[in-house]
Amino acid sequence: MLRHYRALHENKEETGASPSQATRKEELDEALVSMIVKDTQPFSIVDDVGFRAFVSKLDPNYVLPTRQEKLTQVQLHLGMANMKLIQEVETRWSSTYLMLQRLVAQREPVGAALAGLQHDIPFLTSEEFNIVGGCLSLLSPFYDATVELSAEENVSASKVVPLVKMLEHTLQEEITKPAPAAALEMGDHLIRQLREKLYTLQSMSIVSLATLLDPRFKAIGFFSQTKATEAIKRLTSKCATIIRSTQSREEIPQASTSHDVMIFHSIWNKRCFFQRF
């Protein structure tokens, strides 16, 4: 299939170049790809005005390839939808997940496109692709949780503990499935990290009370009944404190300062308002 592709498609240039010109262009294309990969440059460099002007000065007859560096041609040849590769962003872990997910989905056309270029960059082996696929299965719930929390303008704290609980539950299920040893090791590591770093969230007052007061979760949102019981006691104590504080304010004597009396009998006090009318 690769020999057929290279014989029929690689030498077809829109400029109608001669065989010698086409060979020269192939050499320059491969050199360009090698530069981009080795120097970790973005593929969009071929669209930069300054870079295009510089290349034009070097060789006015050389037509820069588009940033989709023959992948689109292979996708069309294989009858697949045209999908671009995704480049990761160092500050967003989810971009790495999406990059690997797209690479796995486009494994065949990417491999075919790279096979038509002369480079010293080894492509992922079948075993490595299996490892990546296993890791993506483990990271999928983390990506879903990230999207869930990022979708809201004001993230509800009540979701945090239940999400961590569901992450652990999902990971426990994933590591029971057949997978490469490296992926299973990663799953065990993720579970340990969840327990070491995120279990303490259910002991934080603001997070635990938010979870308990959310009618969607209540006590079942916690990892254990012990933590749920602690949260219930904490909520009961806070409610009791608020009630005592309210009763204390209601028992203010008439001889109190005029400022206090004005606040207590303010027209904006709904209870006082309805008693009068």
Side-chain angles (χ1 to χ4, degrees):
M1 188 274 290
L2 291 177
R3 287 196 299 268
H4 172 75
Y5 168 76
R6 297 181 68 178
L8 295 182
H9 296 273
E10 281 195 345
N11 291 325
K12 290 183 178 179
E13 302 292 340
E14 294 181 358
T15 56
S18 64
S20 60
Q21 291 175 321
T23 301
R24 174 60 176 165
K25 176 170 173 53
E26 289 175 5
E27 293 177 354
L28 293 176
D29 286 350
E30 290 167 1
L32 175 62
V33 172
S34 179
M35 180 206 73
I36 290 176
V37 173
K38 289 181 178 179
D39 295 344
T40 320
Q41 295 291 332
F43 288 106
S44 60
I45 191 175
V46 297
D47 297 327
D48 293 345
V49 177
F51 181 75
R52 297 182 69 87
F54 175 69
V55 172
S56 177
K57 287 290 184 180
L58 292 176
D59 188 348
N61 296 322
Y62 175 56
V63 179
L64 277 167
T66 62
R67 60 185 300 183
Q68 285 77 38
E69 296 317 352
K70 301 184 180 180
L71 179 60
T72 300
Q73 294 178 353
V74 179
Q75 289 171 335
L76 293 175
H77 180 68
L78 296 176
M80 300 178 65
N82 180 17
M83 298 182 70
K84 300 178 181 178
L85 295 180
I86 298 175
Q87 190 168 355
E88 68 174 343
V89 179
E90 293 184 357
T91 56
R92 295 176 54 201
W93 84 267
S94 57
S95 67
T96 305
Y97 171 84
L98 294 174
M99 177 189 69
L100 293 175
Q101 185 184 57
R102 180 61 58 83
L103 179 61
V104 171
Q106 297 295 310
R107 173 182 177 179
E108 186 176 0
V110 171
L114 288 177
L117 297 172
Q118 306 243 342
H119 58 84
D120 56 357
I121 306 300
F123 194 49
L124 294 180
T125 64
S126 178
E127 181 181 358
E128 289 172 333
F129 266 111
N130 289 335
I131 293 175
V132 171
C135 293
L136 288 175
S137 296
L138 293 170
L139 293 174
S140 177
F142 287 89
Y143 176 76
D144 293 338
T146 301
V147 173
E148 172 75 15
L149 294 178
S150 302
E152 299 183 2
E153 183 176 350
N154 298 312
V155 179
S156 174
S158 64
K159 287 184 176 181
V160 177
V161 173
L163 279 176
V164 174
K165 180 180 179 180
M166 294 308 300
L167 284 175
E168 183 190 28
H169 177 73
T170 304
L171 287 174
Q172 292 285 7
E173 289 186 339
E174 286 293 330
I175 61 176
T176 62
K177 301 177 181 178
L184 294 177
E185 182 179 353
M186 178 181 175
D188 291 332
H189 179 72
L190 288 173
I191 292 176
R192 288 196 303 270
Q193 290 295 306
L194 278 177
R195 293 173 177 173
E196 292 174 7
K197 298 184 178 181
L198 298 182
Y199 264 31
T200 55
L201 289 174
Q202 59 186 337
S203 298
M204 295 176 60
S205 179
I206 188 171
V207 176
S208 61
L209 294 183
T211 303
L212 191 62
L213 291 171
D214 195 317
R216 298 171 296 178
F217 310 122
K218 297 185 179 179
I220 63 173
F222 294 84
F223 293 98
S224 64
Q225 184 58 42
T226 301
K227 293 298 181 181
T229 301
E230 292 177 0
I232 292 174
K233 291 181 179 179
R234 192 178 299 116
L235 177 60
T236 302
S237 176
K238 285 189 173 292
C239 289
T241 301
I242 293 174
I243 292 174
R244 287 194 298 269
S245 176
T246 303
Q247 290 176 342
S248 176
R249 287 198 301 268
E250 290 178 346
E251 294 172 358
I252 298 177
Q254 295 294 326
S256 60
T257 63
S258 59
H259 176 70
D260 292 336
V261 173
M262 181 182 67
I263 294 178
F264 179 71
H265 293 289
S266 170
I267 192 172
W268 300 114
N269 185 306
K270 293 183 179 179
R271 183 179 56 178
C272 180
F273 182 83
F274 286 117
Q275 284 178 347
R276 291 180 59 188
F277 293 93

